[in-house]
């Protein structure tokens, strides 16, 4: 049993690189997912994940499956959608969720069209679902660098981010950091989705960002606790998904996200705070 859990990572370098890449994504993207959840912007993360697709597709057309070109293209497209949706929200009567949905649908359709017309079905699957088992050293350096940038930025903006989660109107009234915090946070979302895109593709990357964060809400109440639980859940999901992929010849990205989904489902039922059991079953010290 122990051999089945450890041997794939000991014997194969591609499995070790895949695990290291997933750990980097977990440590970097999951705290951003916690703040997305607290700000009630979880679906915004999904929208931004689709928004990077046309930029990555253009990078693919220019340089093929080039890490640098697809990363730069994804960053440009994601930032453009974030800024455009914010601009439309500020100058028109359309709400932010509606403008974001409109831009992400356009971006998704454009990206799929570009890849489908200029590439093969294999290229389209690579862009949409990623190739975590094919991560190279350059991709790992990129993922670890984005994780470092994320933690540094969160450390600098930690207090404004917490205050914006609790009362954004108050933050606007007492500080000039409101706009800076908002757009810096959106930049972190895009940056980490681009990182996740390298391993899990545009359709799966947001799953490792949001599902562990949602599961952590049932086990911890403080932000620090939620971040810690969510990171552990994401790393466990990654390792388990990779092992399932190795032993049963499953697609690695969907396997990782499905394990994260199973952890979320278990948390909904058995979690300590707000779960089904916590709400509807009496606690021992309250039982008659």
């Amino acid at each position: 049993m122990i051999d089945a859990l450890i041997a794939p990572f000991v014997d194969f370098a591609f499995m070790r690189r895949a695990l290291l890449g997933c750990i980097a994504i977990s440590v970097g993207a999951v705290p951003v997912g916690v703040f997305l959840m607290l700000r009630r912007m979880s679906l915004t993360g999904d929208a931004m994940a689709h928004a990077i697709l046309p930029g990555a597709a253009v990078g693919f057309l220019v340089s093929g499956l080039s890490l640098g070109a697809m990363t730069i293209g994804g960053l440009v497209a994601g930032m453009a959608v974030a800024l455009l949706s914010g601009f439309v929200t500020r100058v028109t009567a359309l709400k932010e969720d509606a403008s974001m949905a409109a831009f992400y649908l356009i971006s998704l359709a454009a990206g799929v069209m570009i890849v489908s017309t200029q590439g093969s079905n294999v290229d389209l699957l690579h862009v949409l679902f990623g190739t975590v088992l094919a991560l190279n050293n350059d991709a790992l350096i990129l993922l670890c660098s984005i994780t470092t940038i994320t933690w540094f930025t969160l450390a600098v903006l930690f207090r404004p981010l917490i205050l914006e989660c609790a009362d954004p109107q108050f933050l606007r009234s007492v500080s000039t950091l409101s706009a800076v915090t908002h757009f810096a946070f959106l930049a972190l979302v895009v940056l980490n989705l681009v990182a996740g895109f390298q391993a899990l593709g545009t359709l799966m990357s947001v799953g490792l960002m949001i599902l562990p964060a949602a599961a952590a809400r049932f086990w911890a109440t403080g932000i620090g606790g939620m971040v810690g639980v969510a990171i552990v859940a994401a790393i466990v999901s990654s390792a388990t998904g990779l092992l399932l992929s190795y032993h049963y010849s499953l697609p690695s990205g969907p396997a990782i996200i499905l394990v994260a989904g199973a952890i979320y489902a278990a948390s909904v039922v058995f979690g300590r705070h707000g779960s089904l059991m916590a709400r509807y079953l009496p606690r021992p010290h309250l039982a008659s």
Side-chain angles (χ1 to χ4, degrees):
M1 181 65 179
I2 300 298
D3 186 61
L5 297 176
I6 298 177
F9 300 111
V10 173
D11 296 338
F12 299 103
F14 71 89
M15 288 290 288
R16 292 195 295 273
R17 285 195 294 269
L19 181 61
L20 178 58
C22 288
I23 290 174
I25 295 170
S26 301
V27 173
V30 168
V32 175
V34 170
F35 280 104
L36 274 174
M37 179 189 64
L38 292 175
R39 292 159 62 105
R40 297 177 178 87
M41 293 174 62
S42 298
L43 290 178
T44 299
D46 185 55
M48 296 306 299
H50 294 85
I52 69 176
L53 182 55
V58 171
F60 165 76
L61 291 183
V62 173
S63 302
L65 296 175
S66 166
L67 176 67
M70 294 178 73
T71 298
I72 293 172
L75 282 173
V76 171
M79 294 297 183
V81 168
L83 292 174
L84 285 172
S85 63
F87 175 76
V88 170
T89 301
R90 288 177 181 271
V91 301
T92 70
L94 199 64
K95 298 297 184 182
E96 185 176 20
D97 59 339
S99 63
M100 183 70 74
F103 279 106
Y104 109 74
L105 289 170
I106 295 169
S107 298
L108 177 62
V112 171
M113 182 68 71
I114 292 170
V115 179
S116 298
T117 55
Q118 301 297 326
S120 66
N121 290 334
V122 173
D123 296 326
L124 180 60
L125 289 175
H126 173 87
V127 171
L128 292 178
F129 297 104
T131 51
V132 66
L133 296 179
L135 291 176
N136 55 28
N137 292 336
D138 290 337
L140 291 178
I141 292 172
L142 174 67
L143 296 179
C144 293
S145 299
I146 289 175
T147 298
T148 303
I149 293 170
T150 298
W151 274 89
F152 177 79
T153 306
L154 288 177
V156 171
L157 297 176
F158 188 71
R159 289 183 180 232
L161 276 173
I162 293 177
L163 188 55
E164 192 174 36
C165 292
D167 193 343
Q169 297 295 335
F170 178 73
L171 179 62
R172 291 192 193 103
S173 66
V174 301
S175 174
T176 59
L177 291 176
S178 176
V180 173
T181 301
H182 182 73
F183 285 106
F185 179 71
L186 286 180
L188 282 184
V189 173
V190 174
L191 198 61
N192 281 278
L193 287 173
V194 169
F197 158 78
Q198 303 297 336
L200 301 172
T202 57
L203 296 185
M204 297 285 109
S205 59
V206 72
L208 201 59
M209 179 182 285
I210 297 298
L211 284 172
R217 182 63 184 83
F218 295 101
W219 298 100
T221 55
I223 291 180
M226 281 191 282
V227 169
V229 172
I231 289 175
V232 171
I235 293 174
V236 170
S237 300
S238 300
T240 306
L242 289 172
L243 288 171
L244 290 174
S245 172
Y246 174 82
H247 289 296
Y248 299 102
S249 300
L250 300 174
S252 51
I256 291 170
I257 303 306
L258 284 175
V259 173
I263 292 175
Y264 167 74
S267 300
V268 170
V269 178
F270 302 108
R272 294 180 58 191
H273 306 286
S275 68
L276 293 176
M277 288 190 65
R279 286 194 171 207
Y280 299 109
L281 290 182
R283 299 186 181 185
H285 67 282
L286 296 177
S288 56

